[in-house]
């Protein structure tokens, strides 16, 4: 069994990647996303056997993070014109073999279609209409197809991206028709892709290999790459596990080898993780601004809310929580506490389960002024933030080589109202 090395789960935390929490909070303010670059690179390194690790930047698209991963060999997957522009901005070339940037989506909005055509960005089509729209303006190009294999799985119903109730991918029974349609437009289908969901398990990921094999044999000899998508889970709780990466690679490699034999040419094996690379590297640092008692329950109210980290309210997602005592007094017995944010909305609670059920958590006793850290928040954290209640987006800091550097300044009031207009 080859399991990745796991960052420790802690109840009290005085530093992040060697930098005192107090220093981070005082220098950059709160709420603050802090990323430990070395954990991102470690996770990227764990996947080195795959021919190509294509980072799904939707998980965390800060330019400094993208640049770090680019310099260490990751390619990128994008789902919008904005994400493609981010990739170009940090220096990914528009074209290459393998394509440095891939646009994977189920639709083209008008902006993304214009951009991929103009820059020659590789497109991974998730609907027959994408093939038609692309073929009409860019005949002769190569494309890949994202196939919905008829099943899916994720850590939550909302992150399951396969099966007939999912909007994602080209339905597997329509593959032959799509290949014909692509050929009519002169598009060459050079690869197939399947992403069945986010935060799934080895059993379900393994089923994808079988579905991929069938699909590639149907698609035939033009196929030169296969992608198993993303979805690798990380342990958010101490009792949770990673996927056995050796086993995962073996399954895909065997599939690839059988296909190489059948088709008689090399096939590139791609993987497309987001969460696995950045989740554990990220911390949402907040300050406790009120401690109150509501009947039997103690509440810690912090200055971060679901405007900063939406995963608990959206999915009932669990994030480990640690406390950093402001005055350095580390003798803190555990108590039961509910953790909430500043928003005028009763769902603004970090310790909630599926369905919005609020539950207390065993946490160190804390006071106003202490820092509370939502851990393993690097994936789908900042990027899903909003300006709800006119809260500015948080600042982001990247720690690398023992240095904490600001990689996004906190929004100001002027930023908040920049696009608004008084009608004449
Ligand atoms: N590739 C495609 C085509 C995807 O749609 C996704 C995620 C990924 C790769 C990366 O999946 P990952 O390795 O990160 O599991 N907001 C949710 C997750 C939504 C995932 C969307 N697509 C959450 O916070 O759990």
């Amino acid at each position: 069994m080859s399991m990745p090395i796991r960052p420790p789960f802690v109840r009290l935390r005085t530093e992040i990647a060697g930098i005192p929490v107090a220093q981070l909070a005082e220098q950059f303010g709160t709420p603050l996303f802090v990323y430990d670059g070395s954990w991102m690179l470690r996770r990227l390194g764990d996947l080195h056997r795959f021919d190509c690790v294509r980072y799904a930047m939707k998980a965390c698209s800060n330019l400094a993070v993208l640049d770090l991963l680019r310099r260490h060999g990751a390619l990128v997957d994008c789902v919008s014109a904005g994400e493609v522009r981010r990739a170009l901005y940090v220096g990914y070339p528009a074209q290459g073999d393998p394509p440095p940037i891939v646009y994977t989506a189920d639709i083209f909005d008008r902006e993304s279609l214009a951009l991929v055509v103009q820059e020659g960005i590789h497109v991974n089509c998730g609907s027959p209409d994408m093939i038609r729209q692309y073929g009409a303006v860019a005949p002769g190009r190569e494309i890949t197809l994202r196939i919905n294999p008829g099943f899916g799985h994720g850590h939550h119903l909302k992150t399951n991206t396969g099966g007939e109730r999912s909007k994602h991918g080209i339905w597997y029974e329509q593959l032959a028709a799509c290949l014909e349609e692509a050929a009519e437009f002169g598009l060459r289908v050079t690869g197939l892709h399947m992403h069945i969901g986010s935060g799934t398990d080895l059993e379900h990921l393994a089923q994808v290999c079988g579905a991929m094999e069938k699909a590639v044999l149907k698609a035939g000899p033009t196929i030169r790459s296969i992608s198993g998508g993303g979805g690798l889970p990380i342990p958010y709780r101490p009792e949770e596990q990673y996927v056995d990466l050796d086993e995962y690679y073996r399954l895909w490699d065997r599939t690839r080898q059988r296909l190489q034999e059948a088709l008689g040419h090399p096939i590139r094996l791609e993987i497309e993780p987001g969460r696995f690379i950045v989740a554990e590297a990220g911390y949402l640092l907040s300050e406790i601004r009120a401690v109150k008692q509501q009947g039997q329950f103690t509440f810690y109210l912090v200055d971060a809310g679901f405007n900063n980290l939406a995963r608990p309210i959206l999915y009932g997602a669990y994030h480990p929580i640690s406390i950093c005592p402001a005055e350095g007094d580390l003798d803190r017995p555990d108590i039961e506490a509910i953790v909430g944010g500043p928003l005028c909305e009763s769902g603004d609670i970090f310790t909630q389960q599926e369905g919005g059920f609020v539950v207390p958590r065993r946490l160190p006793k804390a006071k106003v002024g202490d820092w509370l850290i939502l851990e393993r928040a690097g994936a789908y954290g900042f990027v899903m933030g909003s300006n709800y209640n006119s809260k500015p987006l948080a600042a982001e800091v990247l720690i690398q080589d023992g240095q904490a550097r600001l990689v996004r300044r906190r929004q100001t009031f002027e930023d908040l109202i920049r696009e608004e207009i008084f009608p004449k």
Side-chain angles (χ1 to χ4, degrees):
M1 293 274 273
S2 151
M3 290 295 178
I5 295 171
R6 193 161 89 167
F9 285 86
V10 300
R11 53 187 288 284
L12 289 168
R13 171 179 293 285
T14 54
E15 52 179 50
I16 298 174
I19 313 280
V21 169
Q23 182 187 322
L24 291 165
E26 278 152 19
Q27 186 176 349
F28 302 107
T30 55
L32 180 71
F33 276 93
V34 181
Y35 306 118
D36 178 349
S38 63
W39 273 106
M40 295 183 182
L41 296 182
R42 186 189 286 246
R43 289 287 91 106
L44 180 61
D46 287 338
L47 303 173
H48 69 277
R49 278 165 297 185
F50 289 85
D51 300 335
C52 164
V53 180
R54 189 173 291 290
Y55 171 57
M57 76 156 81
K58 67 199 74 173
C60 178
S61 57
N62 183 285
L63 297 175
V65 169
L66 294 180
D67 186 50
L68 177 70
L69 296 174
R70 181 189 61 78
R71 284 185 280 111
H72 288 82
L75 304 183
V76 275
D77 176 63
C78 305
V79 67
S80 65
E83 288 193 351
V84 170
R85 285 190 212 279
R86 282 178 179 275
L88 294 169
Y89 194 83
V90 300
Y92 279 102
Q95 299 170 33
D97 183 25
I101 305 172
V102 169
Y103 174 82
T104 299
D106 300 291
I107 67 157
F108 285 118
D109 52 35
R110 292 182 187 275
E111 184 191 9
S112 58
L113 181 56
L115 183 66
V116 297
V117 170
Q118 181 195 317
E119 298 287 339
I121 303 292
H122 182 90
V123 171
N124 184 25
C125 297
S127 62
D129 282 308
M130 283 183 73
I131 301 174
R132 293 172 201 134
Q133 290 162 15
Y134 194 52
V137 290
R141 296 247 181 113
E142 294 187 353
I143 55 169
T144 46
L145 301 182
R146 175 181 180 174
I147 305 298
N148 177 333
F151 60 88
H153 192 251
H155 70 79
H156 189 276
L157 208 52
K158 290 177 188 151
T159 68
N160 178 338
T161 59
E164 62 184 1
R165 280 177 198 268
S166 163
K167 67 176 175 146
H168 295 292
I170 290 170
W171 188 247
Y172 68 103
E173 289 168 322
Q174 294 167 15
L175 173 57
C178 284
L179 291 166
E180 270 174 38
E181 204 151 12
E184 281 164 27
F185 283 107
L187 296 170
R188 272 169 60 83
V189 178
T190 57
L192 296 186
H193 166 281
M194 290 181 185
H195 170 80
I196 60 158
S198 194
T200 182
D201 54 39
L202 188 58
E203 196 187 318
H204 288 88
L205 287 167
Q207 287 174 11
V208 182
C209 297
M212 179 64 86
E213 196 167 335
K214 277 195 204 139
V216 173
L217 292 174
K218 199 173 281 175
T222 61
I223 301 300
R224 299 196 170 262
S225 73
I226 53 175
S227 170
L232 288 176
I234 61 108
Y236 284 100
R237 303 172 191 252
E239 66 275 19
E240 290 172 353
Q241 284 299 336
Y242 298 98
V243 157
D244 178 345
L245 292 178
D246 279 347
E247 185 54 23
Y248 185 54
Y249 177 74
R250 242 192 322 271
L251 286 165
W252 272 110
D253 190 42
R254 275 197 230 120
T255 304
R256 177 249 296 272
Q257 284 180 16
R258 279 196 297 272
L259 289 170
Q260 289 185 157
E261 262 166 49
L263 302 186
H265 59 240
I267 291 192
R268 184 174 72 243
L269 177 55
E270 295 202 0
I271 186 174
E272 199 174 77
R275 183 190 317 275
F276 183 77
I277 293 178
V278 292
E280 295 158 301
Y283 302 78
L284 173 54
L285 176 50
S286 70
E287 185 185 338
I288 300 180
R289 300 296 304 159
V291 177
K292 59 174 168 173
Q293 195 69 30
Q294 311 280 69
Q296 59 173 306
F297 295 114
T298 305
F299 282 73
Y300 294 165
L301 298 186
V302 301
D303 58 4
F306 74 70
N307 56 313
N308 303 114
L309 180 63
R311 302 190 71 255
I313 193 172
L314 278 178
Y315 319 119
Y318 179 100
H319 283 269
I321 294 174
S322 62
I323 298 286
C324 177
E327 279 143 26
D329 47 327
L330 292 177
D331 181 20
R332 300 294 184 96
D334 278 348
I335 64 156
E336 298 268 322
I338 294 168
V339 179
L343 304 179
C344 190
E345 178 128 351
S346 39
D348 186 25
I349 295 289
F350 290 115
T351 53
Q352 64 179 293
Q353 293 172 343
E354 172 71 61
F357 193 69
V358 171
V359 282
R361 175 104 52 104
R362 284 200 84 69
L363 291 172
K365 194 166 169 43
K367 316 188 263 241
V368 170
D370 288 338
W371 292 290
L372 183 142
I373 302 144
L374 291 142
E375 306 217 347
R376 287 155 166 77
Y380 309 106
F382 180 89
V383 287
M384 292 177 78
S386 75
N387 287 130
Y388 188 43
N389 283 191
S390 286
K391 291 283 187 182
L393 295 178
E396 296 178 285
V397 161
L398 176 64
I399 302 178
Q400 266 266 272
D401 309 319
Q403 298 271 341
R405 297 185 183 87
L406 189 64
V407 293
R408 178 194 294 267
R409 65 167 174 75
R410 186 176 308 285
Q411 272 187 330
T412 61
F413 175 67
E414 286 67 34
D415 294 328
L416 270 185
I417 60 168
R418 195 179 302 282
E419 293 91 12
E420 295 175 46
I421 299 165
F422 285 110
K424 291 238 162 69

